[in-house]
Amino acid sequence: MSDTNALYAIRHADGSVSLYIDEEYAKDRGIDPSALTRVEIPRELFSSGTVQEVREYVASYLETRPLGTA
């Protein structure tokens, strides 16, 4: 998709979402890369949205995915 940018995300047991720019960054922070979900972020949101807007977009995306899928 040429009009999007990707972030990697993980939803924690308490429902919070952590965002990572790539799998290596997540791994450096102690996150198992296999637990991450790659989420395509629309370019406009990626470039001019707030962190909270991006986080809400990712959280909504993760809610639509069945548990255990990445």
Side-chain angles (χ1 to χ4, degrees):
M1 295 182 158
S2 62
D3 289 335
T4 62
N5 293 286
L7 291 176
Y8 292 84
I10 188 169
R11 180 180 292 279
H12 301 282
D14 66 0
S16 64
V17 174
S18 293
L19 304 175
Y20 302 93
I21 195 69
D22 60 29
E23 292 173 314
E24 191 63 34
Y25 178 76
K27 188 175 178 183
D28 290 346
R29 304 289 176 285
I31 301 298
D32 177 3
S34 68
L36 297 171
T37 301
R38 186 175 191 269
V39 181
E40 295 285 338
I41 309 297
R43 183 175 300 280
E44 181 67 24
L45 179 58
F46 191 88
S47 65
S48 63
T50 66
V51 171
Q52 185 61 33
E53 289 169 334
V54 172
R55 189 177 303 280
E56 289 172 2
Y57 178 87
V58 171
S60 294
Y61 176 84
L62 294 176
E63 288 174 2
T64 65
R65 310 237 342 141
L67 292 176
T69 59

